[in-house]
Structures are given as structure tokens and as C-alpha cells.
Amino acid sequence: MRLLHTSDWHLGRSFHRVSLLDAQAAFLDHVVATVRERDVDAVLVAGDVYDRAVPPLAAVELFDRALHRLAGAGVPTVMISGNHDSARRLGVGAGLIGRAGVHLRTDPAACAEPVLLADAHGDVACYGLPYLEPSLVRDDFGVERARHETVLGAAMDRVRADLAGRPAGTRSVVLAHAFVTGGAPSDSERDIAVGGVASVPAAVFDGVDYVALGHLHGAQRLTDRVRYSGSPLAYSFSEAEHRKSMWLVDLGPAGEVAAERLDCPVPRPLARIRGTLDALLEDRRLARHERAWVEATLTDAVRPREPMARLLARFPHTLSLLFDPDRPDGEPAASYARRLQGRGDQQVAEDFVAHVRGGCGPDAAERAVLRGAFEHVRVDDAVREVAR
């Protein structure tokens, strides 16, 4: 059975205030063309269909057209909700849409009810595990601790139990939206850490033939059977070196996996350039970036006059301008933004406590208070999105 694995469409998202709707439409054209040209048997979409719980109308219309085209291709599609989606909104009409071959899996309670696909070698049970917010689903899954690993583990226990009751030789596929240990993140994913822990081990998914993951925006192979497709478009300059793609997966008669990366259309390349303003304007080697979306970091010791206007004269698609002046050794150089780079909310808060105390950071009890506050806000946001 030939499967096309994609995820993290983030329909409605912009890139530094530049609309990506046309690029997202071109990607969906590419998906439909690939389905037809490569004889795909099923399409897997592993979450974050939309960029936010209440997407703009243009994004909803784009999604609606995509559903009609996928249904018209006569190829089943299995799709789950991600942490950016409103599961209830995405799942509206799922039963009716499913009759057209587009199977929306947004209800955590139904994670062990597979979409059954079939080929000449028998059934393929395709289980959709929507994003599981630990604090909201812990009671449904009967787990004591609200952690990603425990709720995903409980969901997978149900999947394995259902699979065990099916005819021998039934192959299995799981779609999930999570941060799996070993995956490389980028700057454009929303933090899903709970209790300071965001990742789950790949072993959680043991016992199935293929795991189609979503959430991380870089395509990557964790094992032959566990892969991220990544996002089809770059949503941050941290993805400048990404090769945006989908996985074309052939699932053999006994569950063997062979996968091929298929490149996605690139609306405009990304470039990160660094140096003094004069050097960036004069360096002939940078000519290849004149059509790219550019993030420029200026290292001038003194901020130049009208830097953005001067950059735009050579690089007309410059979207981001940063300053990181070169300073003599020993002189504090890092800007506030630079000091925060790569730090989560918890670490920033702990650093602030240490700063105002003159270097004495929070103790274990105080760290727990901070952690609880951040988790309360994150869960409250999730509840509000569900209730909208």
C-alpha cells in the first residue's frame, strides 16, 4: 500500500506578515498532483491543518477546496487535529465527510477506532491519535500523571489492544502529533512542554508498522518506521536550511517499510546573512540571495542610518533585520533578544528571579510554583480555544 505522509500545513499562517495563502494553495495542488501521478493509495495528514483555533475565512475556504479535490481523486485521506487546531471545529461534519473518503480523527476517545484500508494483501488499520493535551485527557485515559508520555502510552495501549483482536497479518499505521525524543525542533513550533518535559520516547509507538508524525517542522527519520514529514513551507528563518518534503511510504505485504522523500514547491528561498551593512551591500557572493526572503544581522559597532531602506535596495525581499554588534573581548555583547534565544518561558522566568536577587535563583519549591503557573495558563488557553 502506498501512503503519502504530510503534516503541519498551518493554513492561514503568514511569514513575517507576508501572506502564504498562494504558496499553501500551490502546495495543495502539488499534493493532489502527487496522489494522481504516483498512484497513492491513501493520504495521511498528521495534524496542524490550520495555524490557529479560529482560522481566517480564506484558510477555511482553501481547506474546503482541498477536501473536495482529495475526495474527487478517489483516494482515502486520514487527518488528525494538532495542537494549533480546534479539534471540535475541525471535526464538525466528520461523519458526513468520511462518507466521501476523508476521515477526520479529532476525538481522543476514538483513537482505537481505525480507518480500515485494504489492498491485495489484506487490511491496513489506520489509527488517528489527535493531539492529546495531557491535562485535558488524563481522566479519559485513566492515567495518574498528566504527562505526554503517559497519555500517549495509554492511547497506544488501546491501539495495540484493538489491533490484537484483528485478523492475523493486519498491518497498522498510526498518525500522531507530538514531540518525540530525538526529533530536531525549529523556532516555529508552539511549545507543548508539560512539567518541563515536552518529548516522548519513540518506544511509545512500538508494535505498529508505520508512525506518521506531525508537530516538528523539519522532515526527519527517527527510525525506519517512525518519521516526521515536517511542514511543507518554512515558517521561520530557522528553517532556512530545511528541505521541505513529504514521505512517500510503501507498506509491504508483511509490514515492510520503504520511504522516499518528495520535495515540496518552494515559493521563495530563505537566506540568513550577517555582517556590517556596507559588507552586505558590496559582497558579490550574496547576489544569489537577491530574490530570497532575507534575515539580515548587522554587526556594525554603531547602528547605521536607514539600514532597512538600504538593504531593500539590494535585497528587496528583506523581512527581518537584527543587530548584533561586534564588540571587543570581555565587553557584554548579547542583546536582550539574543540572551533569550533558545530559552523557554520557565528558564526566562528563573533567570529573572536570579537577576532581581543578585544571582540567587529560585529553589525547587519556587521552580514548581513557576512551572504550575505556566502550565495553568497554557491549559487555560487550550480550554478557551475548545470553548470558542
Side-chain angles (χ1 to χ4, degrees):
M1 179 168 289
R2 176 161 285 182
L3 309 170
L4 184 63
H5 168 197
T6 177
S7 72
D8 294 273
W9 294 356
H10 289 279
L11 299 181
R13 187 163 185 161
S14 60
F15 184 72
H16 289 265
R17 299 178 299 281
V18 174
S19 173
L20 291 176
L21 275 174
D22 288 345
Q24 291 170 335
F27 163 70
L28 294 174
D29 289 344
H30 175 65
V31 169
V32 175
T34 301
V35 165
R36 297 182 185 278
E37 293 167 7
R38 299 301 298 266
D39 296 324
V40 170
D41 296 306
V43 177
L44 312 178
V45 186
D48 281 353
V49 174
Y50 291 120
D51 189 55
R52 56 181 187 264
V54 184
L57 180 58
V60 177
E61 291 172 341
L62 184 56
F63 179 60
D64 181 63
R65 291 198 299 271
L67 291 187
H68 279 83
R69 295 178 68 191
L70 289 169
V75 173
T77 297
V78 184
M79 183 178 296
I80 62 173
S81 50
N83 61 302
H84 279 250
D85 298 309
S86 166
R88 291 178 64 183
R89 276 190 171 79
L90 187 62
V92 168
L96 185 61
I97 296 170
R99 297 179 188 177
V102 179
H103 305 279
L104 298 171
R105 291 295 187 261
T106 63
D107 181 3
C111 65
E113 300 172 12
V115 176
L116 288 179
L117 310 174
D119 63 10
H121 306 288
D123 286 345
V124 175
C126 195
Y127 299 90
L129 277 56
Y131 171 68
L132 303 175
E133 172 56 52
S135 296
L136 299 182
V137 302
R138 61 179 294 182
D139 292 338
D140 295 334
F141 285 101
V143 299
E144 293 183 3
R145 303 184 67 190
R147 295 289 186 268
H148 288 289
E149 183 175 357
T150 55
V151 296
L152 264 175
M156 283 302 302
D157 286 343
R158 295 185 182 185
V159 166
R160 284 185 283 263
D162 179 84
L163 189 58
R166 297 192 175 275
T170 299
R171 291 159 291 165
S172 55
V173 173
V174 164
L175 287 77
H177 197 86
F179 188 168
V180 178
T181 305
S186 63
D187 291 344
S188 57
E189 298 115 7
R190 182 184 293 171
D191 182 24
I192 59 171
V194 174
V197 179
S199 63
V200 300
V204 164
F205 300 104
D206 284 353
V208 296
D209 294 312
Y210 184 72
V211 181
L213 292 174
H215 181 57
L216 299 184
H217 289 179
Q220 45 203 298
R221 168 193 168 279
L222 302 184
T223 73
D224 282 343
R225 299 183 181 277
V226 182
R227 299 172 187 257
Y228 283 99
S229 67
S231 61
L233 298 169
Y235 294 119
S236 71
F237 277 103
S238 68
E239 300 163 61
E241 301 301 321
H242 283 192
R243 174 188 165 195
K244 295 302 183 180
S245 56
M246 305 178 288
W247 288 110
L248 188 68
V249 178
D250 286 326
L251 193 62
E256 312 94 318
V257 171
E260 176 187 354
R261 270 181 89 174
L262 304 181
D263 291 332
C264 295
V266 179
R268 190 179 296 280
L270 271 58
R272 302 177 105 171
I273 59 178
R274 178 184 177 88
T276 64
L277 179 57
D278 287 342
L280 296 182
L281 296 178
E282 296 169 5
D283 191 341
R284 294 181 179 179
R285 293 171 298 177
L286 299 180
R288 67 186 188 278
H289 299 318
E290 291 173 0
R291 292 187 60 258
W293 278 320
V294 170
E295 177 189 79
T297 300
L298 300 186
T299 60
D300 301 77
V302 177
R303 184 170 301 203
R305 291 180 59 254
E306 300 182 339
M308 180 59 93
R310 294 167 67 187
L311 279 168
L312 287 170
R314 183 180 185 190
F315 306 103
H317 304 289
T318 301
L319 299 181
S320 176
L321 178 58
L322 306 175
F323 294 92
D324 186 20
D326 288 334
R327 299 178 185 273
D329 291 343
E331 184 176 344
S335 67
Y336 181 72
R338 186 73 175 270
R339 294 198 302 272
L340 295 186
Q341 189 172 9
R343 293 175 177 267
D345 292 339
Q346 178 85 14
Q347 187 60 55
V348 171
E350 291 182 16
D351 289 349
F352 174 76
V353 172
H355 173 73
V356 298
R357 286 179 174 173
C360 180
D363 59 24
E366 291 168 331
R367 286 196 297 272
V369 170
L370 289 170
R371 186 181 307 116
F374 284 121
E375 289 185 12
H376 174 79
V377 170
R378 185 177 51 79
V379 172
D380 185 61
D381 285 346
V383 171
R384 288 174 184 272
E385 287 187 355
V386 169
R388 285 179 186 172

